[in-house]
Amino acid sequence: MTYATEALHGFHARKLLAHAGVDPKELRLDVYEHVDRGVAIAMGGFDSERPALAEGAVAVASDILRRWRTPRLDLVAGLVRCLNSPHSHARGDAAMVLAQLVSVDSTQDVAPAVPALIAAADDSYDRVAGPAALALARLGHPGALGPVHRWLAASDSFPFFQVTSLGQVLRPLVRWADELLPGIRCVLVDSADRESLRSVLTAVAAWGPAASAAVPELVPVLATRNVRWACDALGAIGAPAAPAADTLADLACGVVQPLRHDGGTPVATGRRRWHGAQNAAWAHWRITGDPEVFLAFLEDAAAQGLGSADLGRLAELGPRAAHCATALRPLLESPGPWTRVQAAHAWWRITGDADAAIPVLLAALERLRSGEADDPCRAAIRYIARIGAPASDAAPLLEAALASDRRFPADFYPAARRALAAFREPDPVLG
């Protein structure tokens, strides 16, 4: 089921359409000719005193704005009005739609929403404040810092899980890392064993070396059920995380058995490899620069089949992982598109053989013809950009998608432009 179909069959959207006398089956917002009618219906519901109709207006507006790039100042203005709605769910949903619109390549002007977003970020209801802070964070606006400081200070629990997480808000705020890290370090101590910490650890990993001051608090997290996420954060920080290296090696090699992610007792040594061993092995390599622990893990994984390995991290090793090539080759024909794309990239990075990789990556781009770009498709674009000129058969499809009025996920646009630029660069062999 497409997103459009889901939206128009949702409870509140159906209520709005019924109120407008429209059969949901007759309104296809993935068809451009229907969009103006959808806009008119949404505008009629934004200011309704009935909560279900206001929420339905946000749902219909979201569907239009997430599918099409045509500027819709009226819909954005309607969402801004919803930020001041007496209906808390409509406020939260409108803030989330605005957050989803923010990107460098957005054709929708979200700037007029900033004052209302700042007010919403201070809302006492975190279902509203969380998405509003997320929108401000993605805009690079310091108005996000106040609520984030407030949530970090309440480090025994994190709010607004219904629609977003503290980690999502933190991730774009890396420019304020020095200001936010004291609060994050307190959270790492106070909530080391809470499942809610995982989104914060994911944000710390995205910050990479900018989060190096948190290493003393991250190392003890390796002894909790959040160990796998802590491995990723420490590995992303790199050399400054050296105090964790020995523990990571022990985790990767099975010398130490960590708690299970659900907090259960550790898996007994010698029975079954811990599912996060590859995270620990990868982190050890990123921190120390010595690939031996990671290579030993991969050699063992290759003997059993690489299907469960992180092929993206395998690709980072390049030719040093040549012993994995035999086990990797069959995954180019895996039934799963994500596995095929990751395997194709790893194959090229390890062997240098683009001829086998490029057809797999080009096949993943076919989703663009129907106006869609799923995770495998967007990953394939990033990998084609790295391969460069040999993959230039992708150029017409990428150019057509960039020129299309269809709205793709935000990371599609920079990746597609990088790929087209790479196609124009001279081949280093041919000159």
Side-chain angles (χ1 to χ4, degrees), residues 101 125 127 140 152 168 187 211 225 244 248 251 294 355 378:
L101 291 177
Y125 187 30
R127 194 183 190 280
L152 290 173
Q168 283 180 283
V187 167
R225 62 176 175 158
L248 290 167
L251 289 167
F294 193 22
D355 291 342
R378 301 197 315 276

Side-chain angles (χ1 to χ4, degrees), residues 174-320:
V174 63
R175 74 175 73 174
W176 289 286
D178 289 344
E179 178 179 341
L180 293 171
L181 276 168
I184 291 173
R185 295 175 71 177
C186 289
V187 167
L188 293 171
V189 173
D190 295 343
S191 302
D193 196 49
R194 290 179 179 268
E195 185 175 344
S196 53
L197 185 67
R198 292 171 188 173
S199 75
V200 176
L201 291 169
T202 300
V204 170
W207 285 8
S212 58
V215 168
E217 291 75 29
L218 284 168
V219 173
V221 182
L222 296 174
T224 74
R225 62 176 175 158
N226 293 323
V227 52
R228 183 158 59 90
W229 292 265
C231 289
D232 289 346
L234 289 161
I237 289 171
D246 290 345
T247 302
L248 290 167
D250 288 344
L251 289 167
C253 298
V255 175
V256 173
Q257 293 296 324
L259 290 175
R260 289 166 37 170
H261 71 276
D262 60 0
T265 56
V267 177
T269 302
R271 287 180 54 196
R272 181 162 57 89
R273 182 187 288 275
W274 171 51
H275 67 281
Q278 60 186 321
N279 302 69
W282 170 82
H284 183 270
W285 167 53
R286 288 293 302 268
I287 291 167
T288 66
D290 180 358
E292 291 308 312
V293 171
F294 193 22
L295 288 171
F297 167 82
L298 290 170
E299 185 173 358
D300 182 59
Q304 303 174 43
L306 284 172
S308 62
D310 187 328
L311 299 177
R313 290 178 173 174
L314 170 62
E316 290 180 37
L317 283 167
R320 286 172 291 192

Side-chain angles (χ1 to χ4, degrees), residues 25 83 95 114 181 298 393 400:
K25 297 178 182 178
L83 292 176
V114 168
L181 276 168
L298 290 170
D393 285 350

Side-chain angles (χ1 to χ4, degrees), residues 29-274:
L29 296 182
D30 57 338
V31 177
Y32 192 75
E33 288 72 18
H34 290 206
V35 171
D36 285 345
R37 190 181 186 193
V39 171
I41 292 169
M43 297 305 298
F46 276 130
D47 301 315
S48 174
E49 295 182 359
R50 295 171 58 183
L53 299 186
E55 292 169 43
V58 174
V60 173
S62 173
D63 198 358
I64 295 168
L65 293 169
R66 290 175 63 170
R67 285 193 171 274
W68 302 101
R69 287 172 59 78
T70 299
R72 297 285 179 181
L73 299 178
D74 44 2
L75 290 184
V76 173
L79 292 169
V80 173
R81 293 201 301 277
C82 276
L83 292 176
N84 299 308
S85 167
H87 314 311
S88 58
H89 280 70
R91 294 201 307 275
D93 291 348
M96 195 66 205
V97 175
L98 290 166
Q100 291 164 344
L101 291 177
V102 177
S103 77
V104 172
D105 290 284
S106 178
T107 53
Q108 309 299 335
D109 183 9
V110 183
V114 168
L117 286 169
I118 292 173
D122 287 327
D123 198 294
S124 59
Y125 187 30
D126 288 315
R127 194 183 190 280
V128 176
L134 177 61
L136 292 168
R138 289 178 173 172
L139 285 166
H141 195 285
L145 297 177
V148 168
H149 281 303
R150 183 173 76 243
W151 293 320
L152 290 173
S155 58
D156 58 338
S157 62
F158 301 136
F160 54 86
F161 280 125
Q162 293 180 7
V163 287
T164 186
S165 69
L166 179 54
Q168 283 180 283
V169 181
L170 283 171
R171 187 176 180 126
L173 297 177
V174 63
R175 74 175 73 174
W176 289 286
D178 289 344
E179 178 179 341
L180 293 171
L181 276 168
I184 291 173
R185 295 175 71 177
C186 289
V187 167
L188 293 171
V189 173
D190 295 343
S191 302
D193 196 49
R194 290 179 179 268
E195 185 175 344
S196 53
L197 185 67
R198 292 171 188 173
S199 75
V200 176
L201 291 169
T202 300
V204 170
W207 285 8
S212 58
V215 168
E217 291 75 29
L218 284 168
V219 173
V221 182
L222 296 174
T224 74
R225 62 176 175 158
N226 293 323
V227 52
R228 183 158 59 90
W229 292 265
C231 289
D232 289 346
L234 289 161
I237 289 171
D246 290 345
T247 302
L248 290 167
D250 288 344
L251 289 167
C253 298
V255 175
V256 173
Q257 293 296 324
L259 290 175
R260 289 166 37 170
H261 71 276
D262 60 0
T265 56
V267 177
T269 302
R271 287 180 54 196
R272 181 162 57 89
R273 182 187 288 275
W274 171 51

Side-chain angles (χ1 to χ4, degrees), residues 307 311 328-343 360 363-364 367 374 376:
L311 299 177
L328 181 63
R329 184 65 176 82
L331 296 182
L332 297 177
E333 300 176 1
S334 168
W338 178 255
T339 299
R340 288 197 302 272
V341 167
Q342 295 296 318
V360 176
R367 296 296 294 269
D374 58 9

